[in-house]
């Protein structure tokens, strides 16, 4: 009997944004393993319980990638909290007031693009940008300028984890097939009796990424990376795997 093992890097985009921006508050929250979404739900008055936590989670990602008060106020997922543009503009101010390093980093990204026409990330990948014509005015594509460094560096970090994981799996001598890789996850198909060992090797590969980053990119990654392991007979029925 074979089983699927899915390894997701936990909070990849948040960790990468904290690393690239150097935001001290966000970095400390990650180190202290704070439930960031629930803390922001309470701090930013985003509703009660799980629905409010989900709003806080999505809000965070959208602000990271250029979301506006207008877009939040007209999004059905947010309208249950408020349909006021002013309310959501104030939440964006709250976010940037807490994470001042994110705000400074966003300003620095735009300044770098205006100065050089491109952004370079620690892995050596670079992205070029040009102003785009919108409603008769030339504007810089702020959403992609904010988005690409996080997505690109995150992808490069996960690439390091996958390559190292594959090497560890080969060295183990166990039967396996790496059947898929999607964004921040790797999926392995293996006989059920290998579940514990292969899960441990996948976990080891993710946690090794900061050291691998120094080795391959010459960049000292300052935050820990962790993962969540799920197992199941198929992708629909995956359940979180406990090492206990």
């Amino acid at each position: 009997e074979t089983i699927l093992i899915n390894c997701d890097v936990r909070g990849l985009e948040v960790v990468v944004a904290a690393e690239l921006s150097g935001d001290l508050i966000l970095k400390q929250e990650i180190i202290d393993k704070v439930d960031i979404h629930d803390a922001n739900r309470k701090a930013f008055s985003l509703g009660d319980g799980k629905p409010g936590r989900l709003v806080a989670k999505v809000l965070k990602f959208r602000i990271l990638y250029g979301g506006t008060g207008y877009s939040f106020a007209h999004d059905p997922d947010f309208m249950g909290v408020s349909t006021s543009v002013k309310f959501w503009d104030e939440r964006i101010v709250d976010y940037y007031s807490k994470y001042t390093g994110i705000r400074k980093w966003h300003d620095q990204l735009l300044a770098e693009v205006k100065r050089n026409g491109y952004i370079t990330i620690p892995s050596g990948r670079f992205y070029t940008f040009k102003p785009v014509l919108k409603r008769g005015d030339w504007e810089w594509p702020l959403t992609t300028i904010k988005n690409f460094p996080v997505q690109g560096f995150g992808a490069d970090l996960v690439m390091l984890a996958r390559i190292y994981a594959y090497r560890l799996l080969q060295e183990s001598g166990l039967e396996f097939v790496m059947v898929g890789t999607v964004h921040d996850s790797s999926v392995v198909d293996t006989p059920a009796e290998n579940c514990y060992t292969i899960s441990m090797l996948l976990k080891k590969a993710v946690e090794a990424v900061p050291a691998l980053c120094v080795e391959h990119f010459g960049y000292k990654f300052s935050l820990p990376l962790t993962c969540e392991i799920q197992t199941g007979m198929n992708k629909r029925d995956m359940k979180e795997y406990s090492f206990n």
Side-chain angles (χ1 to χ4, degrees):
E1 182 179 88
T2 63
I3 194 169
L4 291 178
I5 303 175
N6 186 88
C7 175
D8 281 320
V9 180
R10 196 185 299 272
L12 176 66
E13 294 173 19
V14 179
V15 175
V16 171
E19 175 68 30
L20 293 179
S21 68
D23 187 281
L24 297 178
I25 298 297
L26 188 54
K27 290 179 73 172
Q28 196 60 50
E29 287 179 330
I30 292 168
I31 292 169
D32 293 341
K33 299 180 180 179
V34 171
D35 185 336
I36 297 172
H37 308 318
D38 200 52
N40 288 343
R41 172 187 69 80
K42 297 173 183 176
F44 303 155
S45 303
L46 296 175
D48 298 326
K50 289 184 178 179
R53 186 181 183 280
L54 180 60
V55 169
K57 180 178 180 179
V58 177
L59 179 82
K60 177 249 336 230
F61 283 116
R62 292 207 186 166
I63 292 175
L64 279 178
Y65 302 143
T68 65
Y70 180 88
S71 66
F72 294 136
H74 291 82
D75 187 324
D77 291 336
F78 288 79
M79 292 170 69
V81 177
S82 177
T83 58
S84 165
V85 175
K86 182 175 182 292
F87 174 89
W88 291 111
D89 282 340
E90 290 172 350
R91 300 294 77 77
I92 294 173
V93 170
D94 288 341
Y95 185 90
Y96 278 134
S97 296
K98 177 180 178 180
Y99 302 114
T100 56
I102 296 288
R103 182 55 184 262
K104 291 177 182 177
W105 176 58
H106 280 168
D107 291 341
Q108 290 168 357
L109 288 175
L110 179 58
E112 185 177 346
V113 169
K114 288 182 176 179
R115 182 174 62 251
N116 302 324
Y118 63 89
I119 292 170
T120 303
I121 60 176
S123 58
R125 190 190 299 271
F126 67 92
Y127 302 99
T128 59
F129 300 94
K130 294 181 180 179
V132 294
L133 188 61
K134 287 188 176 180
R135 295 179 293 275
D137 292 322
W138 289 97
E139 300 178 4
W140 288 100
L142 294 179
T143 299
T144 52
I145 288 171
K146 295 174 181 179
N147 182 291
F148 281 18
V150 174
Q151 299 286 355
F153 194 37
D156 289 337
L157 296 176
V158 175
M159 174 190 66
L160 292 178
R162 287 183 184 134
I163 293 171
Y164 186 46
Y166 190 76
R167 185 183 307 162
L168 292 174
L169 293 173
Q170 284 186 312
E171 291 173 352
S172 74
L174 297 173
E175 181 183 352
F176 77 94
V177 177
M178 188 171 278
V179 295
T181 57
V182 182
H183 187 47
D184 60 354
S185 68
S186 300
V187 184
V188 174
D189 192 338
T190 186
E193 60 266 24
N194 297 338
C195 186
Y196 177 81
T197 302
I198 287 185
S199 294
M200 286 295 293
L201 293 177
L202 292 172
K203 180 175 180 287
K204 179 179 179 180
V206 170
E207 293 174 351
V209 166
L212 295 170
C213 195
V214 174
E215 179 183 349
H216 294 281
F217 301 146
Y219 175 81
K220 186 176 181 180
F221 197 90
S222 64
L223 290 169
L225 278 183
T226 59
C227 66
E228 178 182 77
I229 303 289
Q230 294 180 315
T231 62
M233 299 300 295
N234 54 63
K235 288 290 287 181
R236 185 190 65 184
D237 299 322
M238 304 291 270
K239 294 182 179 179
E240 185 169 357
Y241 182 74
S242 174
F243 290 98
N244 297 329

